[in-house]
Amino acid sequence: MTLTEPQVKQEGRRPRQSLWVKVPVGLAVILALLLAGSGLDLLPGLGDVFGEKTTDRSGPALLKSIQDMSRYEAASGNFQVVVDLEKDTKFLPDAIRGSRMLYVGAGTVGSFVDLGKVAKGNVTVNKDRTAATLRLPHAVLGKPAIDPDRSYAVSKQRGLLDRLGDFFSDNPNNEHAVQKLAALHIGEAAKDSGLSARAEKNTTSMLQGLLHSLGFKQVSVVYG
């Protein structure tokens, strides 16, 4: 009897030892998930140990439509803006709920003259076909196009709830808001840059050179 009693006591203690083993493992898993959701990199180079691999399984691009263009792209401007976007929540500190992002947005804006809107009455030629007058619409600005290769986030600050939300979101660290704001500021800067005037000047030079090569000696281009 004396030999079996210690065995019974040891068998009763095994579940307690396994419990002490499971608790740290569970905490380690939870900690790893939180660190992954927060975007922290406490152990540089750890990702190489797991052999992370990226595979592109995208399908072929499909042609949806074709549109004939009658506009002359006469000028293009390159712009850059630093966007500082901050979102706060009432009655909650920024460490709990809030975000701030510094984003460098780079993009281009084109300016064009729509030659398709020129009617027959807007082009006059003298009898000798030596002089011509063209009345064209004013140049307009195109939509700003953000260049992803030259745009990047400088810093990101997020509260605890925002980090948890990014962890459970399908699109964490969404930069759509700052990209849209960058495009807005670039578009406003293009209006004050004189890009449209430069486009009209280049269009005039192009048409004068073309008509001079056709035998016209005097070519006048009027806008508006």
Side-chain angles (χ1 to χ4, degrees):
M1 296 298 293
T2 58
L3 295 176
T4 57
E5 289 181 356
Q7 295 178 357
V8 175
K9 293 181 179 180
Q10 291 178 359
E11 293 177 355
R13 293 177 180 177
R14 288 181 181 176
R16 296 183 180 179
Q17 292 178 356
S18 61
L19 179 62
W20 285 106
V21 173
K22 292 180 180 179
V23 171
V25 173
L27 292 177
V29 173
I30 295 175
L31 180 60
L33 292 176
L34 290 177
L35 292 179
S38 60
L40 296 178
D41 189 8
L42 299 180
L43 297 177
L46 186 60
D48 299 335
V49 178
F50 297 99
E52 186 174 319
K53 181 181 178 181
T54 302
T55 304
D56 184 7
R57 294 190 176 90
S58 304
L62 301 178
L63 176 63
K64 302 296 292 185
S65 63
I66 296 178
Q67 182 179 0
D68 295 331
M69 305 298 293
S70 60
R71 62 188 189 184
Y72 176 65
E73 295 282 349
S76 178
N78 295 316
F79 299 87
Q80 188 178 71
V81 61
V82 178
V83 178
D84 186 354
L85 182 61
E86 182 177 3
K87 295 182 179 180
D88 297 324
T89 304
K90 292 183 179 180
F91 311 114
L92 288 177
D94 294 340
I96 301 298
R97 183 66 186 270
S99 63
R100 183 179 181 182
M101 179 182 295
L102 289 177
Y103 181 82
V104 177
T108 58
V109 178
S111 182
F112 61 89
V113 176
D114 193 351
L115 300 179
K117 294 183 178 180
V118 179
K120 293 182 179 180
N122 297 129
V123 179
T124 57
V125 180
N126 64 350
K127 296 181 180 180
D128 299 334
R129 298 186 62 84
T130 58
T133 301
L134 292 80
R135 183 174 295 276
L136 307 178
H138 282 291
V140 296
L141 297 174
K143 294 182 179 180
I146 300 297
D147 187 356
D149 294 332
R150 297 187 295 122
S151 303
Y152 55 92
V154 178
S155 65
K156 301 177 183 179
Q157 299 176 3
R158 294 169 296 155
L160 179 60
L161 295 180
D162 296 274
R163 294 185 180 184
L164 292 176
D166 291 340
F167 176 72
F168 292 103
S169 175
D170 294 334
N171 188 15
N173 300 332
N174 189 1
E175 296 182 354
H176 178 70
V178 289
Q179 290 177 354
K180 186 176 181 180
L181 195 57
L184 178 62
H185 290 312
I186 288 177
E188 293 175 351
K191 296 178 181 179
D192 301 329
S193 64
L195 193 60
S196 297
R198 182 69 173 270
E200 292 181 358
K201 180 179 179 181
N202 294 340
T203 303
T204 299
S205 299
M206 183 273 295
L207 292 175
Q208 287 179 343
L210 177 62
L211 294 181
H212 285 161
S213 65
L214 296 177
F216 289 89
K217 297 181 180 180
Q218 183 178 357
V219 178
S220 299
V221 180
V222 182
Y223 294 91

